[in-house]
Amino acid sequence: MNEFVETLLSLTWHEPRSSYDVVIIGGGGHGLATAYYLATRHGITNVAVVEADYIGSGNSGRNTTIIRSNYGIPESIRFYRHSQVLYDRLEDETGCWIMHATKGLIWLAHTESAMRAERARCQLNNAMGVETVLVDPVEIKRLCPQIDLSGGGRYPVLGASYHVPASTARHDRVVWAYAQGAMERGVHVLQQTTVTGLLRDGDRVVGVRTNRGDIAAGTVMSAVGGDVTTIASYAGVRLPVRTHPLQAFVTNGYSQGFGPIVSDTELLCYISQTARGQMLIGHEYDREQSYSRQSSFQFLQANAVKMSYLLPFVRNLRILRQWTGRCDVSADFSPIMGFTGVDGFVITTGWGTWGFKAIPAGGEQMAELIATGRTPEMIAPFALDRFAADHSMADQGSTGTR
Amino acid sequence: MLIVFCPNCGPRPVEEFRFGGELPSPPESITDPAERDFDQVWMFNNVAGIHTERWYHDAGCHRWTTVRRDTRVDRIVEQHVSLRPD
Amino acid sequence: MRAPERLWALRVVSTPEALDHAHYEGDVIVLRIANDEAIAIGAVHAELTDEHAIVEVESTFVGWDLSLAEFDEIVHRHVEWPLPAERPALAQGLVAGLPLKFWIDHDRVLMISSNGLVHEVVDRLGVPA
Ligand SMILES: Cc1cc2nc3c(=O)[nH]c(=O)nc-3n(C[C@H](O)[C@H](O)[C@H](O)COP(=O)(O)OP(=O)(O)OC[C@H]3O[C@@H](n4cnc5c(N)ncnc54)[C@H](O)[C@@H]3O)c2cc1C
Ligand SMILES: [Zn+2]
């Protein structure tokens, strides 16, 4: 039997009610985790998660599953570290196997300036209790014997920062674990239900309009990934977000074990091995904004070339599948969580190409915000009004883009 | 594949160009000048639909061109858009 | 096929009208790379009606002189975009990942790259160094 066919899930599907305490738009990781923590931490179960397609059909089921906290600003390091800790406990807490595996992440540097940046990253991470250490080429070769330290003669490796607790987990199992945990406690997950507008009472948002009818809500949360600009526009909220495609591909199986995750801060590509032995390869996002999920040959070509400089063995592999997600990239490359200035309407966005790792912490914190009506201290720096207050959380260098 | 039309060089694959982003255009409803400035700096229209945007022909004539593109299907619906008011 | 030769040219930035009516001294090939810019290969002097025109010596290009047969056999298959039909004509864009220009005449093609990219052109297209 295929180990990836989930047989242990017990999901009960419901018809929509006319009203809920909380309606969450988007059945990706962030929407479902928020529902799960509302139910488990706050006893709020009169909740619907409204999903246009099937759960996990967005970026949460399309990503390369890297979970790390080696960020470049203290507020982010603390938040993502907390998310790692929640991930560590998730299998025990939910009883669902999410195939969580700690692998360590090697962030390669090819220039002195990149080495300086990684040195600074290590110091900041360690000061925040996150284990990230500077490693030299000899140590890199020990961690990853397949690497060509000359970078194909073009990109010699000077060193790397090694983020010890980095891990991966099976993405749709994470989605299912949160969905099941929430649904067991009474949350409704409404698939094939598209939000086409917001219900207003004066300035307040009081529900959602869907292709299956109107649904009233005490609080509406948007967790729709790359489609956030459209949903926010229904509430008249302007966002510092651009929607960019992000692509990835997998090869056929590589017969040896490949232990760590390897990422290149200058070539802007990264690789890890899946549980099936395939090599999973990603890249920075496409430069132009787009909502189409078209994949491009140019992406494959550019990436295959770069990867084969670093890891010559990939030349002998074949590409099996290629796909694209639609990412909500914020102007300062940090997430946007919390109140929007419109009563009854809260938001979690700006997850861009980096939000899978954040699903547990993002969900937990947004659940607390909805339940208490107050912004939890941990996510206060990530509020939407930071842009107007001139407190942008600029940290592009930690997102693997340039 | 996305094809961009360069007025100097002709239709070319997108890889020849650098993306210059959407033209900032705060909505008419924002009237306060300071708020318009803020919107212009930070906010994006980011429409799922027709997007007015700039491209730089890096591999050819080294000139900017403005097009309208449908971001849902990645097709240019109007090329060589003039930015000069008539 | 011959090795590439250094091209001596003038780079002229001016108004489109002035460029349309410019006169160059010598046996020149004028590449109109944009409506307001031209590269006049072989020119030593440019006469323009535009007093604000910028005229500079341009010596960073090299050119391969190819017969049509050589162009068809070696280079054309790397060009992934439509070439102009008229002759002579300028074509410029990415070829095998490199920014190249072609001056396509009735019987010959001048393939132009910047000097710094010669080794890449040789590597990727298999033309002489
Ligand atoms: C190729 C790729 C690789 C990535 N790699 C990583 C990585 O290694 N590590 C990492 O941390 N992050 C990574 N990311 C980013 C990560 O996947 C996302 O940030 C994260 O999954 C966002 O989750 P979400 O729940 O906010 O959005 P999504 O999972 O996209 O969910 C949004 C949901 O909303 C639904 N929706 C949209 N509009 C409507 C509507 N009108 N009505 C109802 N429902 C609607 C969609 O159908 C979708 O299911 C990657 C992304 C991609 C595309
Ligand atoms: Zn051009």
Side-chain angles (χ1 to χ4, degrees), chain C residues 31 66 71 75-76 79 81 83-84 89-95 100-105 109-112 125:
Chain C
L31 309 178
L66 307 174
F71 177 76
V75 180
H76 196 176
V79 184
W81 30 269
L83 289 169
L90 167 70
Q92 51 185 358
L94 271 196
V95 177
L100 297 182
K101 301 184 196 303
F102 301 106
W103 179 250
I104 310 172
D105 213 334
V109 177
L110 182 63
M111 178 170 83
I112 302 164
L125 300 185

Side-chain angles (χ1 to χ4, degrees), chain B residues 6-10 12 16-17 57 59-63, chain C residues 33 92:
Chain B
C6 172
N8 288 308
C9 308
R12 290 310 159 78
E16 293 201 358
F17 297 82
H57 196 188
C61 61
H62 294 264
R63 289 297 182 280
Chain C
I33 61 171
Q92 51 185 358

Side-chain angles (χ1 to χ4, degrees), chain A residues 29-303:
Chain A
H30 280 275
L32 291 163
T34 304
Y36 171 86
Y37 290 112
L38 277 171
T40 56
R41 303 288 196 270
H42 305 282
I44 298 175
T45 57
N46 185 21
V47 175
V49 178
V50 182
E51 166 56 48
D53 201 340
Y54 60 91
I55 57 171
S57 59
N59 297 338
S60 296
R62 293 165 187 264
N63 64 80
T64 47
T65 78
I66 298 167
I67 301 165
R68 58 180 177 88
S69 59
N70 58 337
Y71 276 72
I73 47 181
E75 296 86 343
S76 296
I77 298 168
R78 184 169 69 141
F79 173 80
Y80 290 116
R81 179 63 202 143
H82 180 59
S83 209
Q84 279 180 324
V85 170
L86 293 180
Y87 259 124
D88 289 341
R89 295 190 206 134
L90 197 59
E91 288 181 347
D92 279 349
E93 187 177 325
T94 61
C96 294
W97 182 39
I98 60 165
M99 306 176 72
H100 189 214
T102 300
K103 296 181 170 173
L105 166 65
I106 303 171
W107 259 23
L108 297 171
H110 303 281
T111 61
E112 268 312 322
S113 68
M115 282 301 288
R116 262 198 305 280
E118 293 320 299
R119 220 169 271 132
R121 180 184 310 286
C122 290
Q123 286 179 357
L124 186 59
N125 284 195
N126 283 301
M128 301 285 301
V130 167
E131 197 180 354
T132 307
V133 290
L134 211 64
V135 287
D136 64 10
V138 175
E139 179 67 4
I140 294 169
K141 190 80 183 166
R142 194 188 65 73
L143 292 165
C144 179
Q146 291 93 339
I147 200 164
D148 173 0
L149 288 171
S150 82
R154 286 185 184 232
Y155 300 101
V157 174
L158 287 191
S161 67
Y162 180 51
H163 179 50
V164 180
S167 62
T168 60
R170 176 76 200 167
H171 48 25
D172 27 41
R173 282 178 180 248
V174 171
V175 169
W176 296 335
Y178 279 119
Q180 176 175 283
M183 290 165 87
E184 277 172 358
R185 290 167 178 85
V187 169
H188 286 189
V189 175
L190 310 171
Q191 299 193 108
Q192 304 294 328
T193 308
T194 305
V195 170
T196 56
L198 295 175
L199 307 178
R200 308 285 291 264
D201 179 7
D203 287 342
R204 223 190 127 77
V205 168
V206 294
V208 295
R209 176 148 291 158
T210 81
N211 59 331
R212 296 170 72 189
D214 290 356
I215 304 173
T219 303
V220 173
M221 172 167 117
S222 167
V224 294
D227 293 302
V228 67
T229 299
T230 307
I231 297 293
S233 74
Y234 299 148
V237 172
R238 301 268 294 162
L239 291 175
V241 169
R242 284 173 284 197
T243 299
H244 285 273
L246 181 67
Q247 309 190 41
F249 68 94
V250 284
T251 68
N252 60 335
Y254 171 50
S255 52
Q256 293 180 33
F258 187 88
I261 306 159
V262 175
S263 179
D264 196 298
T265 55
E266 282 159 278
L267 296 176
L268 304 173
C269 53
Y270 60 96
I271 188 166
S272 69
Q273 190 174 37
T274 69
R276 277 186 267 198
Q278 306 169 332
M279 299 311 296
L280 173 58
I281 300 177
H283 192 230
E284 67 167 337
Y285 61 77
D286 291 6
R287 284 290 136 166
E288 67 274 15
Q289 283 148 272
S290 177
Y291 288 80
S292 90
R293 287 202 187 112
Q294 287 176 28
S295 301
S296 70
F297 177 72
Q298 155 73 14
F299 158 81
L300 280 184
Q301 195 181 33
N303 232 333

Side-chain angles (χ1 to χ4, degrees), chain C residues 1-3 64-80 83 94-98 100 102 108-109 111 120-129:
Chain C
M1 202 191 316
R2 280 174 290 151
W64 283 260
D65 180 25
L66 307 174
S67 69
L68 278 187
E70 287 167 336
F71 177 76
D72 282 342
E73 192 186 329
I74 302 164
V75 180
H76 196 176
R77 64 199 165 90
H78 293 285
V79 184
E80 296 176 29
L83 289 169
L94 271 196
V95 177
L98 302 168
L100 297 182
F102 301 106
R108 305 205 69 80
V109 177
M111 178 170 83
E120 290 285 356
V121 178
V122 168
D123 229 33
R124 296 187 197 188
L125 300 185
V127 291

